[in-house]
Amino acid sequence: DAGGRSMFRRGAPVLPGKYSAQAQIDGKSISGDIEVRSDPRMEAPDIKAVMANMKRADELQDRIREYNTHYAGFIAIDEELKKISALITDDMSFADEHKELYRIVREEYDRISSLISNRREGMAGRMMGINVLYSSKGALSDTEEKSVEDALKALDEAEELMKGFRSGEWDTYRKFFIDNNITLDRLIKM
C-alpha cells in the first residue's frame, strides 16, 4: 500500500453479472458460479455503453498491433545507426565522407523519435487517449470522444513520420552505402 493506493496495477475490470469459473489444481477440476456485483459506493456502470466501448477498443487492436510493428522497425533503425557510428570511428577518411550525411540522418531520426515517444507532450501521450475506452463507466463524453479521436490522429501522424523517414533520409543513407560499395563486412574490417 502506498498512501492508501495500491502499488500494483489491478487486472481488467469485470462487469457486474453472473460468471462460471473453472480451474485445474493438482489434476483435479473444480468449477463454480460467481456473481460480480457493482461496488455499492460507486455509481453502477452503464453495461451496454461499457460493452460498446470494449467492442470499439477490441476493433482498434489490429491497428495498434500494426503500429507497434512499424514502431519496432523504427527503433531497429536507431540500433543500426548506433552500430554504424561505432564501426566507423576508426576510419577517419570514411568518417569525413560520411559524417555530414550521418549527422542529417541522426538528427532527423532523433527529432521524429522525440515527437513520437514523448509521453507528456508527444504523440505517445496522445495515443494513450484510447485507454478511455477501457476505463469509462458509460457512454463517452465529448471530451473522452475527443481523446479517442486525437489518439487515432496521433497514430496516423506517427505512422506518416516513420514512413517519411524510411522512404526519405533512411533510404538516402542506405543508398550512400550501396553507391559506395560499402557492405557490413567492409565496415567490420575498418
Side-chain angles (χ1 to χ4, degrees):
D1 191 39
R5 295 184 322 263
S6 173
M7 291 175 29
F8 301 100
R9 190 173 198 162
R10 293 186 177 120
V14 177
L15 294 174
K18 293 184 179 189
Y19 297 88
S20 294
Q22 195 172 31
Q24 290 273 35
I25 301 172
D26 294 329
K28 294 180 184 175
S29 180
I30 54 174
S31 63
D33 294 329
I34 300 170
E35 183 176 354
V36 176
R37 296 183 193 147
S38 294
D39 185 335
R41 299 168 296 173
M42 301 176 79
E43 186 178 326
D46 176 342
I47 304 298
K48 286 183 181 179
V50 171
M51 294 296 288
N53 293 341
M54 292 294 195
K55 182 178 186 235
R56 196 168 157 199
D58 287 345
E59 290 168 354
L60 291 173
Q61 289 306 306
D62 286 341
R63 184 162 182 206
I64 292 167
R65 272 190 287 282
E66 183 179 336
Y67 168 80
N68 286 336
T69 299
H70 294 156
Y71 186 66
F74 184 72
I75 295 299
I77 291 172
D78 185 46
E79 293 304 314
E80 288 185 46
L81 286 169
K82 287 176 185 174
K83 288 176 186 174
I84 291 168
S85 178
L87 289 171
I88 63 171
T89 54
D90 292 337
D91 185 336
M92 292 313 283
S93 64
F94 179 72
D96 286 342
E97 279 178 52
H98 170 261
K99 70 181 174 186
E100 183 59 21
L101 182 56
Y102 179 84
R103 183 192 62 76
I104 291 167
V105 171
R106 180 85 247 178
E107 284 178 3
E108 183 61 4
Y109 179 89
D110 291 343
R111 182 187 77 78
I112 292 169
S113 179
S114 178
L115 286 171
I116 292 172
S117 63
N118 185 320
R119 288 189 182 266
R120 182 168 293 208
E121 297 160 2
M123 292 174 201
R126 290 173 41 213
M127 288 177 205
M128 300 303 275
I130 288 174
N131 290 339
V132 74
L133 291 169
Y134 295 105
S135 62
S136 181
K137 300 292 185 222
L140 298 185
S141 68
D142 289 344
T143 302
E144 291 169 325
E145 281 290 352
K146 172 102 174 66
S147 290
V148 173
E149 266 181 47
D150 198 37
L152 296 174
K153 285 179 186 174
L155 277 170
D156 289 341
E157 290 169 20
E159 288 272 8
E160 284 302 312
L161 284 170
M162 291 185 293
K163 182 180 175 184
F165 178 80
R166 282 191 302 269
S167 65
E169 288 84 0
W170 187 240
D171 268 1
T172 299
Y173 192 59
R174 293 179 67 194
K175 189 173 179 332
F176 168 82
F177 283 89
I178 292 167
D179 290 349
N180 289 287
N181 199 26
I182 300 166
T183 63
L184 185 58
D185 290 341
R186 182 171 163 215
L187 282 175
I188 291 170
K189 290 176 189 174
M190 291 182 173

